[in-house]
Amino acid sequence: MSSHPSPDRPDAPLTVAMLTLGCARNEVDSEELAGRLAADGFRLVDDPDQADTVVVNTCGFVEQAKKDSVDALLEAADLKDHGRTRAVVAVGCLAERYGKDLAESLPEADAVLGFDDYEDIAGRLRSILAGETHHPHTPQDRRRLLPITPAERAAPAVAPRTRLESGPTAPLKLASGCDRRCTFCAIPSFRGAFVSRRPSDVVAEARWLAGEGVRELFLVSENSTSYGKDLGDIRLLETLLPELAGIDGVERVRVSYLQPAEVRPGLLEAIAGTPGVVPYFDLSFQHASAAVLRRMRRFGDPENFLALLDRVRALAPEAGVRSNVIVGFPGETEEDLQTLCDFLVAARMDVTGVFGYSDEDGTEAAGFTDKLDPDEVWARTQQVQQLVEELNAQRAEERIGEVVEVLVESLDTDSDTDGGDDGATAEGRTGFQGPEVDGTTRLLGTGHRIGDLVTATVVATDGVDLVARPTGVAR
């Protein structure tokens, strides 16, 4: 298929830069879009200033993420005033969630594309570059676009994928969407109902990633504990994990986002006991007060949550545990807040993300009447954040003396001498440190290379980050 020429070379292919905000699921979406574009004749570039089109994959999760996405779009639009850039296009969750409203409020973006535009993303970009007007969609609740009966659901088609990052870790999508109805969350309305990918597709993509040099697969979805339920086998993840871990070149498999109410003994055992699967438990507690959790349309209490953590640590004493909590939810009392704080102290988690409650468009909680004053939400959030920072630092100190395996992900090459990495110091992650959201580990000494898996002993900490001394040969 022919393409419109770039301004500097009439015969050159159109260039496109992908900017990704938000979570690891968005990273996969960007790489699938990049794969479609590359297959249809576009040339991918890293520098937006060298791109005919800048595609911004937005995040629409919370208010700050929305602001960051809009700022990224405005910054990209500024490139049109100088240099090569001719069009800026919004895709992703913010674009899907607000559609025509986003387009009207942000005329600096040349187009706002929804998820239904992804299949022909190359055609959409070509028409936009040709000066054609794209009419953005009117958002609707995407949960209604798929039948509820699992047997009637069709797994999404496999999209080509092009890696946009070259590191040794890559996200691998298990599923899309969510069937839960948490009162604070709008994600299901614009991501749709939960749909698992076929295991054969997941394995095939994992093999491809391994061939691209990936040593750690980071399994992502909105709710990994639900994987397989719409395919007729809720235990499908337990059987998939050994197959992924057995792929040549894959040293680690990590599972993200486990729903505590859906965690089952077999899944705990599979994560804790499968060789090559790291004992890492990303448990979305959100709160600890049973009353607050019920208002969130979630389930649990401190006793059940602590019992779950006891089972995890009985299976894998060195396990890493992370979670997120929401502070200041409508109706949260001082007693509820204390319950949360007491739970966090007892839980001894490695990392906890703290979010202050804010209304999200289209959620049930946005209509609740017993909301806390924003200043009170802020004060409570600061209180819990301070507590969490102390607890996470203490948990890191408990790791001193542990023997760990560190996957090297970056190098400080200031002392690099001969074009290799022999003079560079290394930073990476242990099995109990997830990408982006958790702490990191700095390796003492030099001579490491990106992708090395280094056995080391933890000797010091810096907040949630660790310092370790290598004690074995890298592999």
Side-chain angles (χ1 to χ4, degrees):
M1 182 182 296
S2 63
S3 62
H4 296 281
S6 296
D8 51 352
R9 284 173 43 204
D11 60 341
L14 291 167
T15 56
V16 60
M18 297 289 310
L19 301 181
T20 306
L21 293 94
C23 64
R25 297 182 291 279
N26 256 18
E27 292 179 31
V28 178
D29 289 348
S30 286
E31 293 191 348
E32 290 177 353
L33 289 172
R36 291 183 185 275
L37 290 166
D40 209 346
F42 280 77
R43 181 166 64 87
L44 299 169
V45 296
D46 295 328
D47 185 357
D49 202 31
Q50 299 302 311
D52 297 309
T53 307
V54 179
V55 177
V56 181
N57 191 353
T58 61
C59 178
F61 180 44
V62 294
E63 205 58 42
Q64 185 59 50
K66 297 176 195 174
K67 182 181 183 303
D68 291 343
S69 294
V70 170
D71 288 346
L73 285 163
L74 291 173
E75 184 176 345
D78 286 342
L79 297 176
K80 293 188 291 182
D81 295 333
H82 56 86
R84 175 176 190 140
T85 304
R86 297 156 56 195
V88 172
V89 176
V91 299
C93 293
L94 190 70
E96 174 63 36
R97 186 174 181 183
Y98 293 103
K100 64 180 183 62
D101 291 338
L102 178 63
E104 292 170 359
S105 63
L106 197 70
E108 292 86 352
D110 296 276
V112 173
L113 303 183
F115 295 153
D116 292 337
D117 293 305
Y118 283 15
E119 187 171 355
D120 187 28
I121 184 66
R124 297 290 191 273
L125 295 194
R126 284 196 173 91
S127 68
I128 293 162
L129 285 168
E132 299 175 18
T133 300
H134 175 80
H135 298 285
H137 66 286
T138 299
Q140 57 182 311
D141 190 335
R142 293 190 70 89
R143 290 171 294 189
R144 299 171 184 166
L145 301 183
L146 284 172
I148 297 300
T149 306
E152 297 178 8
R153 294 180 178 178
V158 179
R161 181 174 174 183
T162 296
R163 291 205 74 198
L164 298 174
E165 301 289 342
S166 59
T169 298
L172 176 58
K173 191 184 294 183
L174 286 175
S176 297
C178 184
D179 287 340
R180 301 191 69 87
R181 296 294 184 267
C182 301
T183 57
F184 57 82
C185 183
I187 289 176
S189 66
F190 57 86
R191 274 287 183 182
F194 187 89
V195 182
S196 300
R197 295 183 66 193
R198 291 184 293 266
S200 58
D201 293 339
V202 176
V203 172
E205 189 169 313
R207 290 198 177 105
W208 174 77
L209 288 168
E212 294 285 306
V214 171
R215 305 198 77 188
E216 178 178 312
L217 302 173
F218 184 42
L219 306 186
V220 299
S221 73
E222 276 73 24
N223 180 7
S224 296
T225 36
S226 283
Y227 180 70
K229 71 176 186 180
D230 52 331
L231 300 178
D233 186 358
I234 191 61
R235 297 177 180 83
L236 201 54
L237 185 54
E238 287 94 307
T239 59
L240 181 63
L241 288 175
E243 189 169 0
L244 294 173
I247 293 173
D248 188 31
V250 172
E251 295 289 344
R252 284 181 179 171
V253 177
R254 183 186 305 275
V255 184
S256 72
Y257 208 88
L258 303 173
Q259 167 60 246
E262 296 181 23
V263 172
R264 49 201 176 271
L267 182 56
L268 292 181
E269 293 164 6
I271 294 175
T274 302
V277 177
V278 292
Y280 175 80
F281 294 85
D282 178 12
L283 295 161
S284 176
F285 290 122
Q286 301 297 355
H287 210 280
S289 163
V292 173
L293 287 166
R294 281 195 298 271
R295 289 177 62 79
M296 291 180 170
R297 214 182 295 281
R298 296 174 72 91
F299 306 94
D301 53 52
E303 292 74 22
N304 282 303
F305 288 165
L306 291 174
L308 173 58
L309 293 175
D310 286 344
R311 292 196 295 274
V312 165
R313 288 164 176 152
L315 292 167
E318 76 285 8
V321 180
R322 83 167 322 274
S323 190
N324 295 309
V325 296
I326 297 173
V327 180
F329 192 77
E332 181 190 71
T333 65
E334 291 283 356
E335 183 180 358
D336 293 327
L337 181 65
Q338 189 60 50
T339 297
L340 173 60
C341 292
D342 291 344
F343 165 72
L344 293 171
V345 170
R348 293 175 46 249
M349 291 185 285
D350 292 271
V351 175
T352 304
V354 180
F355 296 88
Y357 172 80
S358 62
D359 286 340
E360 284 298 313
D361 297 336
T363 62
E364 185 177 348
F368 289 173
T369 58
D370 51 352
K371 294 173 187 170
L372 278 66
D373 183 87
D375 289 341
E376 177 63 19
V377 173
W378 183 87
R380 293 187 182 192
T381 302
Q382 294 302 303
Q383 175 187 340
V384 177
Q385 181 63 48
Q386 182 177 356
L387 172 64
V388 159
E389 289 175 0
E390 295 172 359
L391 294 172
N392 292 166
Q394 290 172 14
R395 179 65 182 132
E397 291 174 358
E398 293 175 7
R399 298 284 189 182
I400 293 177
E402 282 192 21
V403 176
V404 297
E405 283 193 324
V406 180
L407 180 63
V408 177
E409 293 185 320
S410 64
L411 300 171
D412 178 359
T413 56
D414 288 344
S415 56
D416 194 5
T417 56
D418 60 358
D421 300 322
D422 292 342
T425 57
E427 186 173 82
R429 291 176 299 103
T430 68
F432 51 78
Q433 293 172 318
E436 304 295 337
V437 292
D438 297 343
T440 60
T441 299
R442 179 168 61 88
L443 288 171
L444 297 175
T446 59
H448 309 294
R449 295 181 181 273
I450 291 176
D452 281 352
L453 200 59
V454 181
T455 302
T457 300
V458 179
V459 296
T461 66
D462 181 9
V464 296
D465 298 325
L466 306 178
V467 179
R469 178 175 290 112
T471 56
V473 178
R475 69 178 197 275

